Amino acid sequence: MQIEELSATTSGPVFMQRFAIALALLVTSAASVQAATAFISNEKDNTISVLDLETLKVVKTVPVGRRPRGMVLSPDMKELFICAGDDNRLEVMDTATFEITRKHETSGPDPELLDISPDGKILYIANEDDGLVTVLNREDGKALAEIQIGVEPEGMAVAPDNSVVVATSESTSMAHILDTKTLKVVANVLVDTRPRVAEYNVDGKEVWVTAEVGGTVAVIDSATRKVKLKFGFEIPGVRPELIQPMGVKFTRDGKRAFVALGRANRLAVVDTATYKILDYVLVGQRPWHIDFNGDGTKIISANGLSNDVTVVDIASLKAEKSVPVGRLPWGIVVKP
Amino acid sequence: MVSAIGEVLMRAHVVALLLVVCLLTPARSEEAPAGGGSVPSVHAQIAYLGKSYAEAEPLSLVDKIYDDKGVQGARVGIVEDNMTGRLIGHDYKLIEAIVAEDADITVKARELLAGGVTMIVADLEPADLLIVADLPEAENAIIFNIRSSDIGLRHDNCRRNTFHIPPDWAMRADALAQYLVWKKWYKWALISGERPKDKDFAAALRRSAKRFGGKIVAEKTYAYQGGSRRTDTGHQQIQTQMPLLTQNLGEHDVIVVADVEESFGDYLLFRTFEPRPIAGTHGLIAASWHRSYEESAATQMQNRFEKRAGRIMTERDYSAWLAVRTFGEAVTRTASTDLAALRTYLMSEKFEVAGFKSQGLNFRSWDRQLRQPILLAGPRALVSISPQEGFLHPKYLTDTLGYDEPESKCKLKN
């Protein structure tokens, strides 16, 4: 009907313009067919829930090794790497078919969290039981090195320029900075009790480290490798010991950060210029890890104690919907 | 003469060097040297001082008998302290000093103190602990009690140099009481043994009942002559004795049992006159550690311990591990082994140690007892963790367990 109208009533330039709009609409709807997908690791179910972020429906539940926790997407987004801690291995999922294609027993014992180099070639894996970081070649799954750090390694973040990797060890309360060329520890930075997650900000000048028991975030200056400042959280009516900072993500414009606060059941919204808390958003119970949807307009939390994920709209800072997944959801990674 | 001068010069040199180090090193260094210096700057010596006391054997054959409870936890703790220390030029040494039960503890204690070993993990019964704590040489030592749940040690018998890692009987009884009250099991029948520790725990249960609105509706003592856990034909006798023991207790919701010395507690389960749950030293127990506990990364601790010790981690192992980790935490954060600095730090708001309880643990200022959530465990699985929902405290919810500041008879100035 619209086309009829167009052909019947419009002359050249106007027609072209309308045609362009129609084309743009077509392209947009074609793109939305390729909806973003969230992968959620269910620690107690030994599965990965695959969530279509358009429909917010779980499209597949994939059985994996025991106690799946940390996950990372390859830069080309074709593969998802999953730590199966109790099976002491890394599993690799094809993100198009959702099939497990490879299993690497070379991940080191009890892998918990991991990160991948920007060129997609090297994986850095925290081995929680043995105080190690295992460096793995993605191509053939060969372990290239084991680096001894502190007790209970967890957080892992490769610098955007690929120069160093920041690993945290929970019991030692440190962030360790490892040189990616020499594979040696080049600095140890003491932070608050039980550091969990390390995350580089958008320009790579800072790395934020959350301390679950200490209840704070340490902002480490990438250049000086010193703690620039630490900030905590205060929520009226929530006891301090329930505030357990865990996952951190920065918005694409770098202006805000979201911090999952564990048993406080909230995400904190932080202004990255002033380090002030702008708001707290109530989500499900014990959010651990978080990630953005495909276009960065929503943030989604994996809630361990309520067995669901919560979608939060970033513009309005409102929790829009919670979707049940498996038992004890731990990690979440979105393929845009 | 020459050597004396040399020594003085050397000493002056060392003092000058120390001053330089002090000036250069901030009190709480945020950044540590990379990779660990080849020459450690801080040496910490921790003694594990204990006696090999004869202990009551567990009634259940499922519970193995270990003669190294505690020290195995300290060994795991020292490995972890060194993993951290290695990175910042600190090193730790554990000196194991376990003497015979009939030995005079002062001999070993004096030897350690004279050798400058003033951080002590004490695996000692109250009388021996107090002897050590009261030695003049120990005045400025830091002693961590890892063995005794005795209330007196945290109360009228508290000492300035002694901190307490395991929960006392009052904390344990309160942890149970909160759960029983939460379950609305208000009426308790108390059955206790006749040995001193049984009586201590029974007294703590009576206090907890009053505190949290429970009521002890009946009390009985039982003096089962234990001594052998191997009784090939034992169950028939027990099957007839336990119903008799639990008859005529009036209307009750639960039987609370105080049998610290393992003479009959396990026999009550499933044998009571009326079908009732058992809580206390058997059945549902209150403890700071249990094999069934996995939350807040406890699984990692259980795995690490089992890998090194070849057996499960007992509560005393956990206390010893936590004591050694607490020393490690204080040394790491103060970058010092100075006793005054360590004590100040341990007593400050800044101090917290992580013990897999999902919150930082610190010491109560009034009696130097560690604040901690208490596990409630059945024979095979975790049941709950106290404090329970709804038991409130203006400062720490964990201070609803045990003697709070106004009730404490410990009159120490910090």
Short mmCIF file of all heavy atoms in Angstrom, two decimals, chain A residues 44 67 110 128-130 148-152 171-174 176 186 188-191 193-194 213-214 225-226 239 244 263, chain B residues 29-35 80 83-84 86-88 294 297 299-300 303-304 307 325 332-333 352 354 356 358-360 397:
data_model
loop_
_atom_site.label_atom_id
_atom_site.label_comp_id
_atom_site.label_asym_id
_atom_site.label_seq_id
_atom_site.Cartn_x
_atom_site.Cartn_y
_atom_site.Cartn_z
N LYS A 44 25.15 -24.48 39.80
CA LYS A 44 24.67 -25.68 40.48
C LYS A 44 24.04 -26.69 39.51
O LYS A 44 23.89 -27.86 39.85
CB LYS A 44 23.64 -25.27 41.54
CG LYS A 44 23.41 -26.30 42.63
CD LYS A 44 23.87 -25.82 43.99
CE LYS A 44 23.91 -26.95 44.99
NZ LYS A 44 24.71 -26.63 46.18
N ARG A 67 30.23 -27.38 37.75
CA ARG A 67 30.46 -26.05 38.34
C ARG A 67 30.96 -25.03 37.32
O ARG A 67 32.07 -24.49 37.45
CB ARG A 67 31.41 -26.14 39.53
CG ARG A 67 31.17 -24.99 40.50
CD ARG A 67 32.01 -25.10 41.74
NE ARG A 67 31.67 -24.01 42.65
CZ ARG A 67 32.48 -23.52 43.58
NH1 ARG A 67 33.66 -24.02 43.76
NH2 ARG A 67 32.08 -22.54 44.34
N ASP A 110 40.76 -26.42 38.76
CA ASP A 110 39.71 -25.53 39.23
C ASP A 110 39.73 -24.14 38.58
O ASP A 110 39.90 -23.13 39.27
CB ASP A 110 39.76 -25.39 40.76
CG ASP A 110 38.46 -24.79 41.32
OD1 ASP A 110 37.45 -24.82 40.60
OD2 ASP A 110 38.47 -24.30 42.46
N GLU A 128 41.71 -21.45 40.87
CA GLU A 128 41.43 -21.04 42.23
C GLU A 128 42.12 -21.91 43.29
O GLU A 128 42.63 -21.41 44.28
CB GLU A 128 39.91 -21.04 42.46
CG GLU A 128 39.55 -20.34 43.75
CD GLU A 128 38.08 -20.07 43.90
OE1 GLU A 128 37.29 -20.80 43.31
OE2 GLU A 128 37.74 -19.12 44.61
N ASP A 129 42.13 -23.23 43.09
CA ASP A 129 42.66 -24.10 44.14
C ASP A 129 44.18 -24.04 44.30
O ASP A 129 44.70 -24.30 45.36
CB ASP A 129 42.26 -25.57 43.86
CG ASP A 129 40.91 -25.90 44.50
OD1 ASP A 129 40.35 -25.00 45.16
OD2 ASP A 129 40.44 -27.03 44.34
N ASP A 130 44.89 -23.71 43.23
CA ASP A 130 46.34 -23.85 43.28
C ASP A 130 47.13 -22.55 43.23
O ASP A 130 48.35 -22.58 43.14
CB ASP A 130 46.81 -24.76 42.12
CG ASP A 130 46.66 -26.23 42.49
OD1 ASP A 130 45.85 -26.50 43.38
OD2 ASP A 130 47.35 -27.07 41.90
N GLN A 148 52.62 -18.48 39.24
CA GLN A 148 52.19 -18.53 40.64
C GLN A 148 51.84 -17.12 41.09
O GLN A 148 52.64 -16.20 40.94
CB GLN A 148 53.34 -19.09 41.48
CG GLN A 148 52.98 -19.38 42.92
CD GLN A 148 52.29 -20.73 43.08
OE1 GLN A 148 52.73 -21.71 42.52
NE2 GLN A 148 51.21 -20.77 43.85
N ILE A 149 50.62 -16.94 41.63
CA ILE A 149 50.29 -15.63 42.22
C ILE A 149 49.89 -15.87 43.67
O ILE A 149 50.53 -16.67 44.35
CB ILE A 149 49.24 -14.85 41.39
CG1 ILE A 149 47.97 -15.65 41.16
CG2 ILE A 149 49.85 -14.41 40.06
CD1 ILE A 149 46.82 -14.83 40.65
N GLY A 150 48.86 -15.21 44.19
CA GLY A 150 48.50 -15.37 45.59
C GLY A 150 47.52 -16.53 45.80
O GLY A 150 47.35 -17.38 44.93
N VAL A 151 46.86 -16.54 46.94
CA VAL A 151 45.94 -17.62 47.30
C VAL A 151 44.55 -17.31 46.74
O VAL A 151 44.04 -16.21 46.91
CB VAL A 151 45.88 -17.77 48.84
CG1 VAL A 151 45.03 -18.97 49.22
CG2 VAL A 151 47.28 -17.91 49.43
N GLU A 152 43.96 -18.31 46.08
CA GLU A 152 42.63 -18.22 45.47
C GLU A 152 42.53 -17.15 44.38
O GLU A 152 41.81 -16.16 44.52
CB GLU A 152 41.54 -17.94 46.53
CG GLU A 152 41.23 -19.15 47.37
CD GLU A 152 40.22 -18.82 48.45
OE1 GLU A 152 39.17 -18.24 48.12
OE2 GLU A 152 40.48 -19.12 49.62
N SER A 171 42.25 -14.58 48.69
CA SER A 171 42.71 -14.75 50.06
C SER A 171 43.92 -13.86 50.37
O SER A 171 44.17 -13.50 51.51
CB SER A 171 43.09 -16.21 50.31
OG SER A 171 42.34 -16.73 51.36
N THR A 172 44.66 -13.52 49.33
CA THR A 172 45.85 -12.68 49.50
C THR A 172 45.48 -11.20 49.46
O THR A 172 46.25 -10.35 49.87
CB THR A 172 46.87 -13.05 48.38
OG1 THR A 172 47.33 -14.36 48.65
CG2 THR A 172 48.03 -12.12 48.32
N SER A 173 44.29 -10.89 48.96
CA SER A 173 43.81 -9.50 48.86
C SER A 173 44.73 -8.63 48.01
O SER A 173 45.09 -7.53 48.42
CB SER A 173 43.61 -8.88 50.25
OG SER A 173 42.62 -9.57 50.96
N MET A 174 45.12 -9.16 46.88
CA MET A 174 45.97 -8.36 45.99
C MET A 174 45.49 -8.46 44.55
O MET A 174 44.87 -9.45 44.16
CB MET A 174 47.40 -8.89 46.01
CG MET A 174 48.20 -8.50 47.23
SD MET A 174 49.87 -9.12 47.06
CE MET A 174 50.44 -8.87 48.73
N HIS A 176 47.46 -8.66 41.06
CA HIS A 176 48.80 -8.91 40.56
C HIS A 176 48.83 -8.48 39.10
O HIS A 176 47.93 -8.81 38.34
CB HIS A 176 49.15 -10.40 40.64
CG HIS A 176 48.83 -11.01 41.97
ND1 HIS A 176 49.67 -10.92 43.05
CD2 HIS A 176 47.74 -11.68 42.40
CE1 HIS A 176 49.12 -11.54 44.08
NE2 HIS A 176 47.94 -12.00 43.71
N VAL A 186 54.83 -8.27 37.60
CA VAL A 186 55.61 -7.04 37.65
C VAL A 186 55.16 -6.10 38.76
O VAL A 186 55.89 -5.18 39.12
CB VAL A 186 55.60 -6.29 36.29
CG1 VAL A 186 56.38 -7.09 35.26
CG2 VAL A 186 54.19 -6.03 35.82
N ASN A 188 52.47 -6.02 42.56
CA ASN A 188 51.42 -6.58 43.43
C ASN A 188 50.78 -5.42 44.15
O ASN A 188 51.47 -4.64 44.81
CB ASN A 188 52.03 -7.54 44.45
CG ASN A 188 52.67 -8.72 43.79
OD1 ASN A 188 52.00 -9.56 43.22
ND2 ASN A 188 54.00 -8.78 43.84
N VAL A 189 49.49 -5.29 44.01
CA VAL A 189 48.82 -4.13 44.60
C VAL A 189 47.84 -4.62 45.66
O VAL A 189 46.91 -5.39 45.36
CB VAL A 189 48.05 -3.34 43.51
CG1 VAL A 189 47.47 -2.07 44.10
CG2 VAL A 189 48.95 -3.03 42.33
N LEU A 190 48.09 -4.21 46.90
CA LEU A 190 47.23 -4.62 48.01
C LEU A 190 45.91 -3.86 47.93
O LEU A 190 45.90 -2.64 47.82
CB LEU A 190 47.95 -4.31 49.33
CG LEU A 190 47.56 -5.05 50.59
CD1 LEU A 190 47.60 -6.56 50.40
CD2 LEU A 190 48.47 -4.64 51.74
N VAL A 191 44.80 -4.60 47.96
CA VAL A 191 43.48 -3.96 47.96
C VAL A 191 42.71 -4.47 49.17
O VAL A 191 43.29 -5.10 50.06
CB VAL A 191 42.72 -4.25 46.64
CG1 VAL A 191 43.43 -3.61 45.45
CG2 VAL A 191 42.54 -5.74 46.41
N THR A 193 39.70 -6.67 51.37
CA THR A 193 39.57 -8.11 51.56
C THR A 193 38.73 -8.80 50.48
O THR A 193 37.65 -8.35 50.14
CB THR A 193 38.95 -8.39 52.94
OG1 THR A 193 39.64 -7.59 53.89
CG2 THR A 193 39.07 -9.84 53.34
N ARG A 194 39.24 -9.89 49.98
CA ARG A 194 38.66 -10.74 48.96
C ARG A 194 38.31 -10.03 47.65
O ARG A 194 37.14 -9.88 47.29
CB ARG A 194 37.44 -11.52 49.49
CG ARG A 194 37.84 -12.58 50.51
CD ARG A 194 36.76 -13.59 50.79
NE ARG A 194 36.64 -14.62 49.78
CZ ARG A 194 37.43 -15.68 49.67
NH1 ARG A 194 38.43 -15.84 50.50
NH2 ARG A 194 37.23 -16.59 48.73
N VAL A 213 34.43 -8.86 50.37
CA VAL A 213 34.26 -8.77 51.82
C VAL A 213 34.61 -7.37 52.32
O VAL A 213 33.96 -6.82 53.22
CB VAL A 213 35.08 -9.87 52.54
CG1 VAL A 213 35.16 -9.62 54.03
CG2 VAL A 213 34.44 -11.24 52.28
N GLY A 214 35.59 -6.74 51.72
CA GLY A 214 35.95 -5.38 52.09
C GLY A 214 34.85 -4.37 51.76
O GLY A 214 34.76 -3.32 52.36
N ARG A 225 50.43 1.94 38.56
CA ARG A 225 50.15 0.66 39.23
C ARG A 225 49.96 0.84 40.73
O ARG A 225 50.40 0.04 41.54
CB ARG A 225 51.27 -0.35 38.94
CG ARG A 225 51.30 -0.73 37.48
CD ARG A 225 52.53 -1.50 37.11
NE ARG A 225 52.51 -1.79 35.68
CZ ARG A 225 53.54 -2.21 34.98
NH1 ARG A 225 54.68 -2.45 35.59
NH2 ARG A 225 53.44 -2.44 33.70
N LYS A 226 49.34 1.93 41.09
CA LYS A 226 49.01 2.19 42.48
C LYS A 226 47.51 2.44 42.60
O LYS A 226 46.86 2.83 41.64
CB LYS A 226 49.75 3.44 42.97
CG LYS A 226 51.23 3.20 43.23
CD LYS A 226 51.81 4.42 43.89
CE LYS A 226 53.30 4.41 44.10
NZ LYS A 226 54.02 3.18 44.13
N ARG A 239 22.43 -3.68 55.61
CA ARG A 239 23.58 -3.81 56.50
C ARG A 239 24.87 -3.90 55.67
O ARG A 239 24.90 -4.52 54.61
CB ARG A 239 23.44 -5.05 57.37
CG ARG A 239 22.23 -4.99 58.30
CD ARG A 239 22.32 -6.04 59.38
NE ARG A 239 22.66 -7.36 58.85
CZ ARG A 239 21.78 -8.22 58.34
NH1 ARG A 239 20.50 -7.91 58.30
NH2 ARG A 239 22.17 -9.40 57.92
N GLN A 244 28.37 -6.61 48.81
CA GLN A 244 29.49 -7.41 48.33
C GLN A 244 29.78 -7.09 46.87
O GLN A 244 29.24 -7.74 45.97
CB GLN A 244 29.14 -8.90 48.47
CG GLN A 244 28.79 -9.30 49.89
CD GLN A 244 28.22 -10.70 49.96
OE1 GLN A 244 27.35 -11.07 49.17
NE2 GLN A 244 28.69 -11.48 50.90
N ARG A 263 24.85 -9.73 47.90
CA ARG A 263 23.68 -9.92 48.75
C ARG A 263 22.93 -8.64 49.10
O ARG A 263 21.89 -8.67 49.76
CB ARG A 263 24.05 -10.71 50.00
CG ARG A 263 24.35 -12.19 49.63
CD ARG A 263 24.32 -13.09 50.83
NE ARG A 263 25.28 -12.63 51.81
CZ ARG A 263 25.19 -12.88 53.12
NH1 ARG A 263 24.19 -13.58 53.59
NH2 ARG A 263 26.11 -12.44 53.95
N SER B 29 51.44 0.07 53.04
CA SER B 29 51.88 0.11 51.65
C SER B 29 50.80 -0.46 50.74
O SER B 29 50.33 -1.57 50.94
CB SER B 29 53.17 -0.70 51.55
OG SER B 29 53.32 -1.21 50.27
N GLU B 30 50.43 0.31 49.76
CA GLU B 30 49.40 -0.15 48.83
C GLU B 30 50.01 -0.99 47.73
O GLU B 30 49.39 -1.84 47.16
CB GLU B 30 48.66 1.04 48.20
CG GLU B 30 47.89 1.87 49.17
CD GLU B 30 46.68 1.16 49.74
OE1 GLU B 30 46.45 -0.03 49.46
OE2 GLU B 30 45.95 1.81 50.48
N GLU B 31 51.25 -0.67 47.44
CA GLU B 31 51.87 -1.41 46.37
C GLU B 31 53.11 -2.10 46.89
O GLU B 31 53.92 -1.53 47.60
CB GLU B 31 52.24 -0.48 45.22
CG GLU B 31 52.57 -1.26 43.97
CD GLU B 31 53.52 -0.53 43.07
OE1 GLU B 31 53.89 0.61 43.36
OE2 GLU B 31 53.90 -1.13 42.06
N ALA B 32 53.22 -3.34 46.54
CA ALA B 32 54.33 -4.12 47.02
C ALA B 32 55.35 -4.27 45.91
O ALA B 32 55.00 -4.16 44.75
CB ALA B 32 53.81 -5.47 47.43
N PRO B 33 56.59 -4.52 46.28
CA PRO B 33 57.58 -4.74 45.24
C PRO B 33 57.21 -5.92 44.37
O PRO B 33 56.62 -6.89 44.84
CB PRO B 33 58.87 -5.01 46.02
CG PRO B 33 58.48 -5.25 47.42
CD PRO B 33 57.15 -4.60 47.63
N ALA B 34 57.58 -5.85 43.13
CA ALA B 34 57.20 -6.88 42.18
C ALA B 34 57.96 -8.17 42.43
O ALA B 34 59.12 -8.16 42.77
CB ALA B 34 57.49 -6.39 40.78
N GLY B 35 57.23 -9.25 42.27
CA GLY B 35 57.87 -10.55 42.26
C GLY B 35 58.50 -10.98 43.57
O GLY B 35 59.05 -12.06 43.68
N GLU B 80 49.86 -20.41 53.10
CA GLU B 80 49.13 -19.29 52.48
C GLU B 80 49.74 -17.94 52.85
O GLU B 80 49.85 -17.05 52.02
CB GLU B 80 47.65 -19.37 52.86
CG GLU B 80 47.03 -20.60 52.24
CD GLU B 80 45.59 -20.82 52.64
OE1 GLU B 80 44.96 -19.88 53.17
OE2 GLU B 80 45.10 -21.93 52.42
N MET B 83 52.60 -17.55 50.66
CA MET B 83 52.25 -17.25 49.25
C MET B 83 52.02 -15.76 49.08
O MET B 83 52.40 -15.17 48.07
CB MET B 83 51.00 -18.03 48.83
CG MET B 83 51.30 -19.46 48.43
SD MET B 83 49.81 -20.37 48.01
CE MET B 83 49.48 -19.78 46.33
N THR B 84 51.39 -15.15 50.08
CA THR B 84 51.18 -13.70 50.04
C THR B 84 52.49 -12.98 50.34
O THR B 84 52.88 -12.06 49.63
CB THR B 84 50.11 -13.30 51.07
OG1 THR B 84 48.90 -13.98 50.75
CG2 THR B 84 49.87 -11.80 51.06
N ARG B 86 55.61 -13.83 50.08
CA ARG B 86 56.59 -13.96 49.00
C ARG B 86 56.53 -12.79 48.02
O ARG B 86 57.54 -12.34 47.49
CB ARG B 86 56.24 -15.27 48.28
CG ARG B 86 57.13 -15.77 47.20
CD ARG B 86 56.54 -17.09 46.68
NE ARG B 86 55.16 -16.96 46.22
CZ ARG B 86 54.80 -16.52 45.02
NH1 ARG B 86 55.71 -16.20 44.15
NH2 ARG B 86 53.53 -16.42 44.67
N LEU B 87 55.31 -12.31 47.79
CA LEU B 87 55.12 -11.26 46.80
C LEU B 87 55.53 -9.88 47.31
O LEU B 87 55.74 -8.97 46.53
CB LEU B 87 53.64 -11.21 46.37
CG LEU B 87 53.09 -12.52 45.78
CD1 LEU B 87 51.58 -12.49 45.77
CD2 LEU B 87 53.63 -12.72 44.38
N ILE B 88 55.61 -9.74 48.62
CA ILE B 88 55.91 -8.41 49.16
C ILE B 88 57.10 -8.44 50.11
O ILE B 88 57.28 -7.56 50.95
CB ILE B 88 54.67 -7.81 49.89
CG1 ILE B 88 54.05 -8.82 50.86
CG2 ILE B 88 53.64 -7.34 48.89
CD1 ILE B 88 52.91 -8.25 51.70
N GLU B 294 29.94 -25.30 52.30
CA GLU B 294 30.57 -25.02 51.00
C GLU B 294 30.43 -23.58 50.55
O GLU B 294 30.99 -23.16 49.56
CB GLU B 294 29.94 -25.93 49.93
CG GLU B 294 28.44 -25.69 49.80
CD GLU B 294 27.80 -26.35 48.58
OE1 GLU B 294 28.51 -26.84 47.72
OE2 GLU B 294 26.56 -26.32 48.51
N ALA B 297 32.94 -19.63 49.16
CA ALA B 297 34.25 -20.17 48.77
C ALA B 297 34.81 -21.17 49.79
O ALA B 297 35.97 -21.54 49.72
CB ALA B 297 35.26 -19.07 48.49
N THR B 299 34.31 -24.18 49.86
CA THR B 299 34.74 -25.34 49.08
C THR B 299 36.24 -25.29 48.79
O THR B 299 36.93 -26.30 48.88
CB THR B 299 33.97 -25.38 47.74
OG1 THR B 299 32.60 -25.54 48.06
CG2 THR B 299 34.42 -26.51 46.84
N GLN B 300 36.73 -24.09 48.46
CA GLN B 300 38.15 -23.95 48.15
C GLN B 300 39.00 -24.30 49.36
O GLN B 300 40.03 -24.95 49.25
CB GLN B 300 38.47 -22.52 47.71
CG GLN B 300 38.36 -22.31 46.22
CD GLN B 300 36.93 -22.41 45.72
OE1 GLN B 300 36.04 -21.80 46.29
NE2 GLN B 300 36.72 -23.18 44.69
N ASN B 303 38.92 -28.06 49.96
CA ASN B 303 39.78 -28.74 48.99
C ASN B 303 41.25 -28.56 49.30
O ASN B 303 42.03 -29.51 49.25
CB ASN B 303 39.52 -28.19 47.57
CG ASN B 303 38.17 -28.61 47.03
OD1 ASN B 303 37.52 -29.50 47.59
ND2 ASN B 303 37.73 -27.97 45.97
N ARG B 304 41.61 -27.30 49.59
CA ARG B 304 43.02 -27.02 49.87
C ARG B 304 43.51 -27.82 51.07
O ARG B 304 44.58 -28.40 51.07
CB ARG B 304 43.21 -25.53 50.20
CG ARG B 304 43.18 -24.60 49.06
CD ARG B 304 44.06 -23.38 49.30
NE ARG B 304 43.65 -22.52 50.40
CZ ARG B 304 42.70 -21.60 50.32
NH1 ARG B 304 42.02 -21.45 49.20
NH2 ARG B 304 42.42 -20.82 51.34
N LYS B 307 43.71 -31.64 50.38
CA LYS B 307 44.84 -31.95 49.51
C LYS B 307 46.13 -32.01 50.33
O LYS B 307 46.98 -32.86 50.11
CB LYS B 307 44.95 -30.84 48.46
CG LYS B 307 45.46 -31.30 47.14
CD LYS B 307 45.12 -30.22 46.12
CE LYS B 307 45.95 -30.36 44.88
NZ LYS B 307 45.65 -29.28 43.93
N ARG B 325 46.26 -17.17 59.69
CA ARG B 325 45.88 -16.19 58.67
C ARG B 325 45.69 -14.80 59.29
O ARG B 325 45.99 -13.79 58.65
CB ARG B 325 44.59 -16.62 57.96
CG ARG B 325 44.79 -17.65 56.87
CD ARG B 325 45.53 -17.07 55.66
NE ARG B 325 44.82 -15.91 55.12
CZ ARG B 325 45.31 -14.69 55.08
NH1 ARG B 325 46.53 -14.44 55.51
NH2 ARG B 325 44.58 -13.71 54.59
N THR B 332 50.80 -8.37 57.00
CA THR B 332 50.72 -7.82 55.65
C THR B 332 50.28 -6.36 55.67
O THR B 332 50.88 -5.51 55.03
CB THR B 332 49.71 -8.63 54.80
OG1 THR B 332 50.11 -9.99 54.80
CG2 THR B 332 49.65 -8.12 53.38
N ARG B 333 49.23 -6.10 56.44
CA ARG B 333 48.65 -4.75 56.40
C ARG B 333 49.49 -3.72 57.15
O ARG B 333 49.45 -2.54 56.83
CB ARG B 333 47.24 -4.76 56.97
CG ARG B 333 46.27 -5.65 56.20
CD ARG B 333 45.75 -4.97 54.95
NE ARG B 333 44.91 -5.89 54.18
CZ ARG B 333 44.38 -5.59 53.01
NH1 ARG B 333 44.56 -4.40 52.47
NH2 ARG B 333 43.64 -6.47 52.36
N GLU B 352 40.12 -6.70 59.41
CA GLU B 352 39.16 -7.76 59.12
C GLU B 352 39.91 -8.91 58.49
O GLU B 352 40.89 -8.72 57.79
CB GLU B 352 38.01 -7.29 58.23
CG GLU B 352 38.40 -6.92 56.83
CD GLU B 352 37.18 -6.57 55.96
OE1 GLU B 352 36.03 -6.67 56.42
OE2 GLU B 352 37.39 -6.20 54.80
N ALA B 354 39.19 -12.67 56.39
CA ALA B 354 38.15 -13.42 55.70
C ALA B 354 38.24 -14.88 56.12
O ALA B 354 39.32 -15.46 56.13
CB ALA B 354 38.33 -13.29 54.19
N PHE B 356 35.67 -17.28 55.07
CA PHE B 356 34.64 -18.01 54.30
C PHE B 356 33.26 -17.90 54.96
O PHE B 356 32.49 -18.84 54.94
CB PHE B 356 35.04 -19.48 54.11
CG PHE B 356 36.41 -19.61 53.54
CD1 PHE B 356 37.49 -19.89 54.35
CD2 PHE B 356 36.63 -19.39 52.19
CE1 PHE B 356 38.78 -19.96 53.83
CE2 PHE B 356 37.91 -19.46 51.65
CZ PHE B 356 38.97 -19.76 52.48
N SER B 358 31.36 -15.05 54.36
CA SER B 358 30.71 -14.03 53.54
C SER B 358 30.72 -12.64 54.17
O SER B 358 30.07 -11.73 53.70
CB SER B 358 29.29 -14.50 53.16
OG SER B 358 28.33 -13.54 53.38
N GLN B 359 31.50 -12.47 55.22
CA GLN B 359 31.70 -11.13 55.78
C GLN B 359 33.05 -11.10 56.47
O GLN B 359 33.59 -12.15 56.85
CB GLN B 359 30.59 -10.79 56.77
CG GLN B 359 30.41 -11.79 57.89
CD GLN B 359 29.25 -11.41 58.81
OE1 GLN B 359 29.41 -10.69 59.77
NE2 GLN B 359 28.07 -11.90 58.48
N GLY B 360 33.60 -9.91 56.60
CA GLY B 360 34.87 -9.78 57.29
C GLY B 360 34.69 -10.11 58.76
O GLY B 360 33.66 -9.80 59.35
N LEU B 397 25.31 -7.77 63.76
CA LEU B 397 24.31 -8.81 64.02
C LEU B 397 24.94 -10.00 64.74
O LEU B 397 24.30 -10.66 65.56
CB LEU B 397 23.67 -9.28 62.71
CG LEU B 397 22.79 -8.26 62.00
CD1 LEU B 397 22.10 -8.89 60.81
CD2 LEU B 397 21.75 -7.66 62.96
#
